[in-house]
Amino acid sequence: MSSEYWAGVATLLIGWSLKELSDKLRLRREERKPFARAIADLLEMRHRLLSVSTALAEIKKHLPIAPDAEVALRTFFHSVFPQAEDLQRRYNEAVSLVAGVDPILAFRLRSKDEFLPFMQRLRPLLTAANSPRPFVVEIDDKLSRSFIEDLEELTMELAKAHGMVSWWRIRKRLSKPQSLPKQADELLLLLGKGQQPDTQAP
């Protein structure tokens, strides 16, 4: 057989191999999309919870807060802090897509979007039952911390499945401490000064 024949065969094989590789890469990109969507929603849930705890911690630096007031503030912050519209719907759609790639991971992701609504229902129940307010605060803290740890673990698993670059970026992001906007911190500082007694002579 001539060299031209073998050159033609080699060209066909190279073309077929490149097409197979392109198809696999395209399939891989499609499989990664639901992981990216679920990561974004988990980060949104985590951000909301940490924003509340960070705001309370900053207030406590400047103002004394009684347990009764802290319970009310937690409820207030959870009601006014921004929340992505249709978060639960988007999250459940993403988890359903993840199930097509990794059903076990999808099973672990299910119902994570129910935590915030659950806590919004639990606080009034504990308050109505005349539970001691320090107990209500402690329960809220423990449940929230446990849930945040679970979110971070799942987020890292999703990031690893999405790719090593995503894993590194998410790991770096999760390691950063949560902070309030500068304007909010300045307002809290002013409030704290307003609570301090005036020691100057009239």
Side-chain angles (χ1 to χ4, degrees):
M1 295 182 182
S2 66
S3 59
E4 292 182 356
Y5 170 81
W6 289 113
V9 171
T11 300
L12 288 173
L13 288 174
I14 292 173
W16 177 81
S17 299
L18 290 175
K19 183 179 182 303
E20 286 292 305
L21 178 60
S22 176
D23 290 342
K24 287 182 178 179
L25 290 175
R26 184 167 56 252
L27 178 61
R28 174 60 177 161
R29 285 196 298 269
E30 291 300 316
E31 289 179 344
R32 291 171 59 186
K33 286 182 180 179
F35 291 98
R37 290 177 56 183
I39 288 170
D41 291 335
L42 288 178
L43 288 174
E44 175 66 28
M45 296 178 209
R46 175 182 177 271
H47 175 73
R48 184 175 173 82
L49 282 169
L50 285 178
S51 294
V52 173
S53 61
T54 302
L56 286 169
E58 289 299 319
I59 290 175
K60 288 179 180 179
K61 290 180 181 178
H62 308 291
L63 300 170
I65 303 179
D68 279 350
E70 183 167 350
V71 173
L73 279 173
R74 287 172 185 269
T75 302
F76 171 75
F77 283 140
H78 278 293
S79 66
V80 300
F81 275 16
Q83 185 173 12
E85 295 182 2
D86 299 328
L87 175 60
Q88 288 183 282
R89 178 186 58 79
R90 290 190 288 103
Y91 177 73
N92 282 293
E93 287 177 357
V95 173
S96 295
L97 293 173
V98 170
V101 182
D102 191 333
I104 295 178
L105 180 55
F107 172 77
R108 295 176 57 205
L109 289 168
R110 285 292 181 198
S111 301
K112 295 302 179 186
D113 57 312
E114 293 291 338
F115 180 79
L116 290 174
F118 166 76
M119 291 303 298
Q120 289 173 347
R121 293 190 296 268
L122 178 63
R123 291 189 198 98
L125 288 175
L126 292 174
T127 303
N130 293 321
S131 301
R133 296 305 182 265
F135 171 75
V136 177
V137 171
E138 182 181 3
I139 289 294
D140 198 314
D141 275 338
K142 287 184 177 180
L143 290 177
S144 296
R145 282 198 301 268
S146 177
F147 183 67
I148 289 172
E149 291 174 1
D150 195 25
L151 286 183
E152 291 178 346
E153 180 182 346
L154 286 170
T155 302
M156 291 305 301
E157 286 192 38
L158 284 166
K160 186 176 181 180
H162 189 259
M164 290 308 298
V165 174
S166 296
W167 179 88
W168 182 82
R169 291 179 62 193
I170 296 299
R171 181 172 177 269
K172 184 178 180 181
R173 183 177 185 84
L174 294 183
S175 65
K176 291 182 178 179
Q178 186 86 353
S179 60
L180 292 175
K182 182 180 179 182
Q183 295 84 349
D185 192 57
E186 290 175 349
L187 176 60
L188 292 174
L189 183 59
L190 288 174
L191 288 173
K193 288 182 177 178
Q195 295 296 314
Q196 294 175 2
D198 187 1
T199 57
Q200 295 181 356

